[in-house]
Amino acid sequence: MKNLILSKERFEHFISLLAKKHNVMGPVHKGYDNFSFQPIKTAAEMTLKYVPTIIPPKKYFMPQYESFLEYDKTWGENMKAVVESEALVLFGVHTCDIAGIKALNIVFSDRPRDYNYLSRKKDVTIMGLECNEYCDEFASCAMMNNHLPDGGYDLFFTDLGDFFFVEVSTLKGDVIVEEIPVFEEALGRHFKELQGLRARKAKTFTNEVGIEYQHVPKILSDTKESLIWNELGDKCLACGNCTNVCPTCYCFNIWDEVNLDLKTGKRVRMWDSCQNEGYAKVAGGESFREERSARQKHRFFKKFKYMVDRYARFFCTGCGRCSRTCMAQINLKETLKKLKEEYAR
Amino acid sequence: MSPKPKVAFFDFACCEGCQLQVANMGEELLDILGAIDVVEFREVMSEKWDQNYDVAVVEGSITDNHAVERIKKIRERSKVLIAYGSCATIGGVNGMKNNFPLEEIRKSVYGESAKFFDTIPTHAVGQVVKVDYFVTGCPVYPPEFVKVLKCALMGINYEVPDYAVCVECKLNENVCMYERGLTCLGPVTRAGCNSWCINNGNICYGCRGMVSNPNIKGAQDVIARYNIDMDLVQNKMNMYNKCRELNKK
Amino acid sequence: MKIQLKDSLYTLVRGKVLRTRQLTELEKLFEIALPEGQSLDHEPGQFVQVSIFGVGEAPISICSSPTKRDSFELAIRKVGRLTRALHELEPGDEVGIRGPYGKGFPVTLMEGNDIMIVGGGIGIVPLRSLINYIIDNRRDFGKVDILLGCKTPKDMLFGDEVETWQKRVDVNFSCTVDRADPDWKGNIGLITSLIPGVNLDPNRTFAAVVGPPVMYKYVIQELRKKQIPDRQILVSLERHMKCGLGKCGHCQIEHFYCCQDGPVFSFDQIKDLEGAI
């Protein structure tokens, strides 16, 4: 691991050179304070001070729609397992979203391994970007302890006014800083400025919910029967927005698509949501989470308990997307606060 | 090799826009024509067919007694019947007729000649005869039409997704219409169109009908929160979905 | 860029339908062989993913015993798009197979103990694999009780085979229906009514329970009344599944994936889990 700096004057040049050699994706403003990771060629196309993108960068690891098997009705040898993947550089990924990618890595590298995900992961270079300030009132990254860099990236950029502080975290990252010679060595004063920022952040990024995240599983277990879940169910439109925008939601559906010759085709997978009507329905028609309240409860438990039990990792990153996108105003932070109050009683 | 399935296209009360969607499909249409034998299609050919159909593709809603008789005959002659377009699948905009007394409607449309024309409340095709496949939409979304056609040719069922347009809209990473200050029916409308309208800057008009289990109360709360007039939403919803009231009777 | 993957978890093996037999109006039995005499090598209670390309894929319980090595059997109820298409298959046709998947009944752990089998309705399908395994290795197990229940006598799957179990002297067999027909000589009533009459030593009894979702709660209550420890009550749970690989999320029950950690669980594992029973 080494530390470098990139002067602001050279930043545009860096992005242009990077985009000449690589497919670069960066945060782009789509209007109405909405952002999206999109292909970029120049720094000017990006907005680096951005609220989390509509869809997290998980779309580059597990695309919304993906074919993984191609077949011929006369199959045998004509059946091929395939993955579509291309080398990408993601620039400007926030720490919350890096935490999301780390969570997905665990799921898809757990045995049996998912080779489609893993071969795409191999092709992605992640360049993180630190949030100096809060994006908005929906975030709870400080509670989840995801507001500071903690690995999971190849390079990590921190904006310190005249320059970016750049942490080189992997060999992949090192190759890039070697091939684009715009970086300088980080000196003592640069470190000092970084520490200054982190000290300021320690004051502004404080636990948004007032619960140590380690306590959430216990709070949830003890409020299983709470009426709060029914309130969420009454509000919820089951539109699936909360899960589709979640950086750690990974559920998918599988089906076949035939070509018009009715002999060849492919098997595809597409993101699915535990909030959708048919998600937990078995062939006989019985649905194991018929009520919207049960589906919302499943979502909260999955983020803060089930996955913690399974992988010892919290699957909420604190990015705030689920609350930001919810038309029914189901708010994660508020819900946790209410549950805690009920738990304390 | 078995002969290609005989497919016929029919229209009832509609704008024929769905046929136009099919006729305009371009290269993919050639692939379709390679897989089927089109024996009737008023929009593109004048020939008629006097035998049975493997697949009948029906556009438009049923609005008079003559249409009732005609669709029943088509049903008798068809192994498989696909209703396509909102007029056929859910009654669509023709359903607005059902907002008014029949006599009044008849007079306003036909004036003095009204007595020569019988009329009935607008029905979706499935409210008159058995329908095997539904391709909703105003107009139909061509990729979904092709998907359903393939299911029909393979003899397997097609299920219209039972989740909201929001699901596909999010996957397409569109900016939510509500954030733009617009009223969109995506949250209660059945997906399957790949959020076609919103991708192109328009709101969802609900042309695909409602999800099977909409949270009406929750939707009302959301509408109130965005300061949207309930009647406006009701009107928007009824623009395509008036005929569903016939199911309740 | 599209790359061909050498190993994918989704690759299928070609299964050949050897024989089919209509069991009831809705259920059909398929005997399937893998290429080149390959054995499926499953445990009783496991399932396979069955595909017809272009139509789809679904998880199906294996209903034959692993002691039958050259082929395996699936009893398939016609309920959905794929199963309808499967019912059209004839001997000689091919289906795609991957698996076996999941945890089956822990037969090694059960060896030397008494076995009580409780099957409701279509639950007999995965249990048949276990029953025939036990019968084929009869000396490895203690006392065996088989309790079966279904709606009406004609809904009983594998009637001929059930009769052979009934005739065995080394198996205690009882059976009940919700509604009898004039020829019915057995019990009438719920399957729970059969449990109190079984004479058992709870500490050396494993109960294997499979049936419709509503059945578990009541059967387990009766088994607990008999003092059978929770870890010796084995259930097989049905959930919506897509991948069978613990990834797609559909079959999740708290921190378990039914497809990988189940479908067979001990009651001990799942009794406190939300929505398990």
Side-chain angles (χ1 to χ4, degrees), chain B residues 226-243:
Chain B
Y226 282 94
N227 282 323
I228 299 160
D229 184 16
M230 201 56 216
D231 289 343
L232 174 89
V233 175
Q234 193 73 41
N235 281 340
K236 272 182 189 273
M237 203 68 218
N238 277 343
M239 183 164 135
Y240 280 103
N241 292 286
K242 187 73 185 169
C243 279

Side-chain angles (χ1 to χ4, degrees), chain A residues 211-340:
Chain A
I211 307 172
E212 294 301 322
Y213 71 89
Q214 296 87 338
H215 293 160
V216 180
K218 176 84 175 92
I219 292 172
L220 287 183
S221 303
D222 285 12
T223 51
K224 261 187 185 175
E225 308 306 324
S226 169
L227 291 176
I228 293 169
W229 301 117
N230 298 9
E231 285 167 27
L232 296 193
D234 290 344
K235 281 178 156 185
C236 177
L237 302 184
C239 71
N241 280 358
C242 51
T243 61
N244 283 328
V245 302
C246 178
T248 71
C249 274
Y250 54 84
C251 293
F252 56 84
N253 202 350
I254 296 177
W255 66 78
D256 288 6
E257 286 188 355
V258 270
N259 298 328
L260 265 165
D261 59 17
L262 305 183
K263 287 189 183 73
T264 58
K266 56 194 177 180
R267 186 158 285 175
V268 302
R269 60 183 183 184
M270 190 174 126
W271 294 1
D272 199 358
S273 166
C274 56
Q275 306 301 308
N276 290 349
E277 197 68 33
Y279 179 84
K281 212 178 251 180
V282 293
E286 175 143 357
S287 174
F288 290 90
R289 281 184 291 278
E290 186 90 51
E291 302 292 323
R292 279 180 279 264
S293 56
R295 295 182 226 160
Q296 276 295 332
K297 188 170 166 181
H298 180 74
R299 177 170 76 92
F300 275 82
F301 272 73
K302 184 145 181 180
K303 301 294 153 196
F304 290 101
K305 181 161 194 324
Y306 303 159
M307 301 312 274
V308 182
D309 289 345
R310 190 174 180 90
Y311 295 124
R313 186 178 177 94
F314 282 80
F315 269 53
C316 176
T317 68
C319 71
R321 281 189 181 86
C322 53
S323 312
R324 208 173 283 124
T325 193
C326 183
M327 277 175 290
Q329 295 189 340
I330 292 173
N331 185 302
L332 181 127
K333 281 157 68 178
E334 296 308 317
T335 308
L336 289 180
K337 276 182 199 164
K338 276 195 206 162
L339 290 169
K340 185 202 167 191

Side-chain angles (χ1 to χ4, degrees), chain C residues 165-180:
Chain C
W165 301 337
Q166 199 165 2
K167 282 181 187 147
R168 291 184 73 100
V169 289
D170 55 359
V171 167
N172 303 315
F173 181 92
S174 48
C175 185
T176 180
V177 295
D178 294 351
R179 283 189 314 273

Side-chain angles (χ1 to χ4, degrees), chain A residues 70 113 250 272 279 302, chain C residues 2 5 9 240 250 252 257:
Chain A
E70 290 180 351
R113 289 165 181 263
Y250 54 84
D272 199 358
Y279 179 84
K302 184 145 181 180
Chain C
K2 199 190 289 174
L5 284 172
L9 302 169
H240 187 190
H250 291 82
Q252 190 161 13
Y257 283 112

Side-chain angles (χ1 to χ4, degrees), chain C residues 216-233:
Chain C
Y216 288 103
K217 197 174 137 195
Y218 301 102
V219 166
I220 290 168
Q221 271 174 10
E222 291 301 320
L223 296 174
R224 291 177 109 187
K225 279 188 206 157
K226 287 277 195 188
Q227 313 289 327
I228 300 179
D230 289 346
R231 64 172 188 285
Q232 285 165 220
I233 298 174

Side-chain angles (χ1 to χ4, degrees), chain A residues 50-105:
Chain A
Y50 70 97
V51 179
T53 49
I54 304 174
I55 287 182
K58 74 172 175 185
K59 66 179 180 182
Y60 296 115
F61 295 79
M62 46 171 302
Q64 294 91 318
Y65 175 96
E66 156 181 32
S67 62
F68 59 89
L69 214 56
E70 290 180 351
Y71 65 84
D72 192 313
K73 269 278 191 185
T74 51
W75 51 294
E77 303 91 300
N78 294 330
M79 179 183 57
K80 280 194 304 195
V82 293
V83 57
E84 271 183 69
S85 179
E86 55 175 347
L88 294 176
V89 173
L90 302 185
F91 185 85
V93 186
H94 285 165
T95 46
C96 54
D97 284 343
I98 293 170
I101 293 164
K102 284 160 80 178
L104 293 183
N105 289 346

Side-chain angles (χ1 to χ4, degrees), chain C residues 33-53:
Chain C
L34 299 181
E36 289 147 25
Q38 203 182 319
S39 162
L40 185 65
D41 195 20
H42 65 286
E43 300 162 13
Q46 282 191 302
F47 66 94
V48 283
Q49 289 277 6
V50 183
S51 279
I52 296 181
F53 272 137

Side-chain angles (χ1 to χ4, degrees), chain A residues 102-147:
Chain A
K102 284 160 80 178
L104 293 183
N105 289 346
I106 293 175
V107 171
F108 288 102
S109 53
D110 185 23
R111 284 173 200 279
R113 289 165 181 263
D114 189 288
Y115 296 106
N116 287 61
Y117 179 95
L118 294 176
S119 54
R120 228 176 269 106
K121 171 177 177 276
K122 207 167 57 181
D123 279 347
V124 180
T125 304
I126 299 174
M127 299 193 182
L129 177 67
E130 181 154 8
C131 296
N132 293 11
E133 288 154 38
Y134 261 109
C135 50
D136 63 17
E137 74 277 14
F138 295 108
S140 54
C141 50
M143 174 201 182
M144 298 314 296
N145 207 16
N146 283 330
H147 60 304

